[in-house]
């Protein structure tokens, strides 16, 4: 009986616990708190946190190659490039490109906000990261989780957990990070600007947009094809108005299922042995730097455009050029309405916001083409 009890104790995970495991539990509990109490991106942070927790329970072997349950999700879903494009399919089915079509110049704001990616790319190299790692870190500035995962899985898979959690964390923290930047880089007079009404967008324009955009981007930057094709297919489902079942399935059931697998897989890559080293932890700082610079670049681009525009745009919408849809647009609307109660900036901000999604995918494709 004593021998059985001894075998039970020594075969349990408790005797294999390390200090690193406990530290990662604390990381998981922080994410649980942000997801449940603060409701910051709960659909993603909750499964990510659970993935971190269970993979840091010794002897569970959930990420053991060829055998672990979550390893199959990660290997076939992420390494085989299945989950990120499916996320984009669902995203496309929910996105309205109407504000961008009605005000095409806001495409420049989405492009301008990508400056943070390139600044951070060179900053990461200066801090000792190699080219592939620097590209994976830089893309965090786009605040686009699926694109970050897609690029990192190609260039630097060992950084996947850190870059993905950084991207989603900064997406969740948009309401905290962006308002101080907006107020710092704009005057109260600029924040009060009321923009002219957007022109109506026809159904034909909305149907043609995903087709023309997909063809154009994939001809110019072929590596963008897996993400941009699924994004535009989902949007074509939505705007065609003839496949409501496919639209609903893409935006709801499929999106929810792949989100579960994505969150668990990303969280499960964050073992204590891979996560707890200064180089990986420094990624969170560089990711924040990238996001801040991208926000600032979008705001400054809007101010620059106003020097040449007859109908001035509210420069706050430049902050929505990062692709954190729709959190950044909502944040712009909130700050704008605080300055002027007559300001309703949400639809105007959605233009650069969805442009930022396209811009981040293109930036990732350029990095992949040159570094992959």
């Amino acid at each position: 009986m004593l021998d059985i009890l001894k075998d039970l104790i020594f075969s349990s995970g408790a005797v294999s616990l390390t200090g690193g495991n406990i530290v990662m539990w604390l990381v998981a509990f922080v994410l649980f708190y942000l997801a449940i109490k603060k409701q910051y991106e709960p659909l993603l942070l909750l499964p990510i946190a659970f993935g971190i927790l269970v993979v840091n329970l010794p002897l569970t072997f959930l990420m053991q190659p060829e055998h672990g349950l979550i390893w199959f999700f990660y290997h076939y879903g992420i390494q085989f490039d299945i989950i990120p494009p499916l996320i984009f399919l669902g995203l496309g089915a929910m996105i309205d490109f109407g504000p961008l079509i009605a005000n095409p110049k806001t495409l420049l704001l989405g492009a301008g906000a990508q400056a943070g990616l390139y600044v951070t790319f060179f900053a990461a190299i200066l801090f000792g990261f190699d080219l592939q790692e620097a590209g994976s870190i830089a893309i965090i500035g786009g605040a686009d989780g699926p694109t970050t995962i897609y690029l990192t899985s190609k260039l630097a898979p060992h950084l996947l957990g850190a870059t993905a959690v950084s991207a989603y964390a900064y997406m969740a923290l948009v309401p905290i990070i962006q308002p101080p930047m907006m107020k710092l880089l704009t005057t109260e007079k600029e924040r009060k600007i009321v923009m002219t009404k957007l022109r109506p967008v026809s159904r034909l324009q909305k149907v043609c947009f995903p087709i023309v955009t997909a063809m154009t981007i994939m001809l110019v930057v072929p590596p963008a094809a897996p993400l941009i094709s699924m994004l535009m297919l989902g949007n074509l489902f939505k705007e065609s108005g003839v496949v409501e079942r496919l639209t609903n399935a893409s935006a709801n059931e499929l999106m929810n299922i792949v989100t579960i697998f994505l969150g668990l897989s990303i969280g499960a890559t964050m073992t204590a042995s891979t996560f707890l080293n200064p180089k990986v932890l420094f990624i969170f700082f560089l990711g924040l730097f990238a996001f801040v610079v991208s926000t600032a670049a979008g705001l400054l681009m809007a101010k620059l455009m106003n020097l040449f525009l007859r109908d001035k745009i509210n420069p706050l919408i430049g902050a929505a050029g990062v692709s954190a849809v729709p959190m950044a647009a909502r944040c712009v609307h909130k700050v704008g309405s605080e300055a002027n109660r007559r300001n309703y900036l949400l639809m105007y901000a959605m233009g650069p916001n969805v442009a930022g999604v396209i811009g981040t995918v293109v930036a990732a494709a350029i990095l992949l083409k040159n570094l992959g």
Side-chain angles (χ1 to χ4, degrees), residues 41 54 56 84 100 129 176 192 196 205 217 235 271 282-283 306 329-330:
E41 285 294 305
V54 297
N56 284 284
L100 177 60
F129 292 92
I176 295 174
K192 288 182 177 180
T196 56
Q205 288 176 311
I217 292 177
N235 191 248
T271 59
F282 193 55
I283 290 172
N306 271 345
R330 289 174 180 166

Side-chain angles (χ1 to χ4, degrees), residues 97 208-219 228 232 358:
F97 285 108
C208 290
F209 181 84
I211 298 172
V212 174
T213 301
M215 292 177 63
T216 303
I217 292 177
M218 287 190 286
L219 282 171
I228 208 71
M232 295 305 162
I358 297 172

Side-chain angles (χ1 to χ4, degrees), residues 77-147:
I78 294 178
Q79 289 188 326
F80 278 26
D81 300 329
I82 301 297
I83 290 179
L86 289 179
I87 291 285
F88 264 69
L89 177 66
L91 183 62
M94 294 186 285
I95 279 181
D96 180 7
F97 285 108
L100 177 60
I101 300 170
N103 194 6
K105 59 179 174 286
T106 57
L107 188 65
L108 295 175
L109 298 176
Q114 307 309 312
L117 279 64
Y118 300 106
V119 172
T120 305
F121 174 74
F122 292 107
I125 292 173
L126 289 176
F127 282 107
F129 292 92
D130 64 32
L131 292 175
Q132 288 75 22
E133 291 173 336
S136 300
I137 295 167
I139 203 68
I140 297 171
D144 186 332
T147 303

Side-chain angles (χ1 to χ4, degrees), residues 81-351:
D81 300 329
I82 301 297
I83 290 179
L86 289 179
I87 291 285
F88 264 69
L89 177 66
L91 183 62
M94 294 186 285
I95 279 181
D96 180 7
F97 285 108
L100 177 60
I101 300 170
N103 194 6
K105 59 179 174 286
T106 57
L107 188 65
L108 295 175
L109 298 176
Q114 307 309 312
L117 279 64
Y118 300 106
V119 172
T120 305
F121 174 74
F122 292 107
I125 292 173
L126 289 176
F127 282 107
F129 292 92
D130 64 32
L131 292 175
Q132 288 75 22
E133 291 173 336
S136 300
I137 295 167
I139 203 68
I140 297 171
D144 186 332
T147 303
T148 299
I149 292 166
Y150 178 77
L151 184 64
T152 305
S153 67
K154 298 285 190 182
L155 298 183
H158 57 289
L159 299 183
L160 184 59
T163 57
V165 171
S166 294
Y168 282 116
Y170 297 133
M171 284 173 63
L173 294 175
V174 160
I176 295 174
I177 298 172
Q178 283 202 322
M181 295 290 300
M182 295 179 192
K183 294 175 182 178
L184 177 66
L185 295 177
T186 60
T187 65
E188 185 174 357
K189 182 179 178 180
E190 288 174 326
R191 294 194 292 274
K192 288 182 177 180
I193 292 176
V194 177
M195 295 177 63
T196 56
K197 186 177 180 180
L198 291 173
R199 69 171 179 84
V201 178
S202 69
R203 183 189 174 203
L204 178 61
Q205 288 176 311
K206 288 190 172 185
V207 169
C208 290
F209 181 84
I211 298 172
V212 174
T213 301
M215 292 177 63
T216 303
I217 292 177
M218 287 190 286
L219 282 171
V220 176
V221 196
L227 296 182
I228 208 71
S229 63
M230 291 296 99
L231 179 70
M232 295 305 162
L233 175 60
N235 191 248
L236 184 59
F237 285 165
K238 173 179 180 291
E239 300 301 349
S240 69
V242 296
V243 286
E244 185 176 353
R245 287 169 56 189
L246 298 184
T247 304
N248 291 336
S250 300
N252 297 301
E253 292 87 358
L254 181 62
M255 188 72 155
N256 291 335
I257 291 169
V258 295
T259 296
I260 294 170
F261 293 153
L262 176 70
L264 274 175
S265 301
I266 294 307
T269 64
M270 296 177 62
T271 59
S273 59
T274 58
F275 187 77
L276 295 178
N277 69 73
K279 188 175 182 179
V280 172
L281 293 175
F282 193 55
I283 290 172
F284 285 88
F285 167 75
L286 286 172
L288 177 61
F289 174 74
F291 183 68
V292 168
V293 174
S294 291
T295 299
L299 290 165
L300 294 176
M301 174 63 79
K303 290 166 72 77
L304 177 64
M305 289 171 62
N306 271 345
L307 297 177
F308 306 96
L309 294 175
R310 180 185 303 172
D311 294 325
K312 305 300 182 185
I313 60 176
N314 190 310
L316 289 177
I317 70 172
V322 298
S323 56
V325 180
M327 291 79 72
R330 289 174 180 166
C331 191
V332 166
H333 170 68
K334 183 175 184 296
V335 174
S337 61
E338 288 173 355
N340 182 350
R341 290 184 180 180
R342 294 190 301 123
N343 250 353
Y344 191 84
L345 294 177
L346 183 60
M347 290 306 297
Y348 301 98
M350 283 304 297

